[in-house]
Amino acid sequence: MKKLRAKVAIATLRYTLANKWESISIDKISKKLKINKKKISNLIKNKHDLLKNINRYFDHQILESSKLLDQSTPKDMIFEILMMRFDLLNQHRKSIIRIFNVLIKKPQEFILLLPSFIESMISMSNISHIKIEGIIGNFKIKGLLIIYFSTFLVWLKDDTKSLDRTMTALDNYLIRAENFLSILQR
């Protein structure tokens, strides 16, 4: 990830701490970063791109952090990687919740972000050595997306410092998915 993209993602998250998401603009982010608006506009065109950029920033952080993980089973790896993501989200909890509260009222905006989230699931599956080829692979990606969003809803209400509720929910969802996949593959 380019340094400028990472700076924009962090600036966007920081901006939402003190301001409403509706008031954000490329112009305000460029002023906050003291970087020429044109330079940022070459990478990010609108609010939607700001959101995709935040998602890519988290993906990049996970990719870098995952290099330190011990190799394990795909299920254990995906658990660790998804928890890394929730730990990252937790570092920006107030901003993420503010953005989510806007998106939940504008489902069309959320739907436009789905391809970006699918890219994230593919990336995390690859890191976890989960085979995603063919129809079953496609099913795994969509299932992982459902698991992620279901766990995200638990994370929103998880006020524990260690994210115990989030971890438990994620583990339960992954176990159910694993059982379901084993039935499908018989």
Side-chain angles (χ1 to χ4, degrees):
M1 172 171 249
K2 292 182 179 180
K3 285 184 181 182
L4 179 57
R5 281 190 177 273
K7 284 181 182 180
V8 169
I10 292 166
T12 303
L13 290 164
R14 287 185 180 151
Y15 179 89
T16 58
L17 280 175
N19 304 283
K20 291 184 176 185
W21 176 256
E22 294 86 351
S23 69
I24 201 167
S25 68
I26 304 298
D27 192 44
K28 289 178 181 174
I29 295 298
S30 68
K31 285 179 184 172
K32 189 171 182 76
L33 289 172
K34 298 176 182 155
I35 296 174
N36 185 326
K37 181 183 174 184
K38 209 173 204 179
K39 210 173 190 181
I40 293 174
S41 293
N42 288 337
L43 299 172
I44 296 166
K45 309 288 184 222
N46 52 41
K47 284 184 182 184
H48 182 71
D49 284 350
L50 285 172
L51 291 172
K52 289 189 328 191
N53 188 57
I54 291 169
N55 193 51
R56 286 186 184 120
Y57 170 72
F58 288 141
D59 288 346
H60 177 74
Q61 294 298 105
I62 289 166
L63 182 62
E64 291 302 309
S65 297
S66 70
K67 293 174 183 175
L68 304 173
L69 280 179
D70 292 331
Q71 295 301 307
S72 187
T73 66
K75 181 192 171 271
D76 289 343
M77 290 289 293
I78 199 67
F79 176 85
E80 290 297 325
I81 289 166
L82 282 168
M83 281 310 302
M84 275 185 201
R85 188 172 185 99
F86 286 113
D87 287 336
L88 280 170
L89 292 177
N90 220 39
Q91 292 172 22
H92 304 281
R93 186 174 190 82
K94 288 182 182 177
S95 298
I96 297 299
I97 290 172
R98 281 186 173 193
I99 293 168
F100 174 77
N101 286 334
V102 170
L103 290 178
I104 200 74
K105 295 172 188 167
K106 297 181 179 182
Q108 67 278 13
E109 287 291 320
F110 181 75
I111 289 170
L112 291 172
L113 290 172
L114 281 177
S116 182
F117 282 114
I118 289 172
E119 285 175 22
S120 298
M121 298 306 116
I122 291 169
S123 174
M124 288 187 279
S125 295
N126 287 332
I127 294 168
S128 302
H129 307 293
I130 294 173
K131 295 178 183 177
I132 55 171
E133 297 85 25
I135 293 171
I136 296 291
N138 191 330
F139 189 72
K140 287 178 185 178
I141 294 299
K142 290 175 182 163
L144 190 55
L145 188 63
I146 292 167
I147 290 169
Y148 173 72
F149 285 130
S150 298
T151 308
F152 179 83
L153 294 174
V154 173
W155 173 83
L156 286 170
K157 297 175 184 172
D158 190 350
D159 55 3
T160 63
K161 285 187 178 183
S162 58
L163 298 178
D164 291 337
R165 292 180 193 131
T166 304
M167 277 193 283
T168 301
L170 177 59
D171 193 42
N172 288 335
Y173 293 141
L174 288 172
I175 288 169
R176 288 181 197 159
E178 189 176 48
N179 292 338
F180 185 70
L181 265 176
S182 69
I183 291 168
L184 277 181
Q185 293 176 328
R186 286 184 189 168

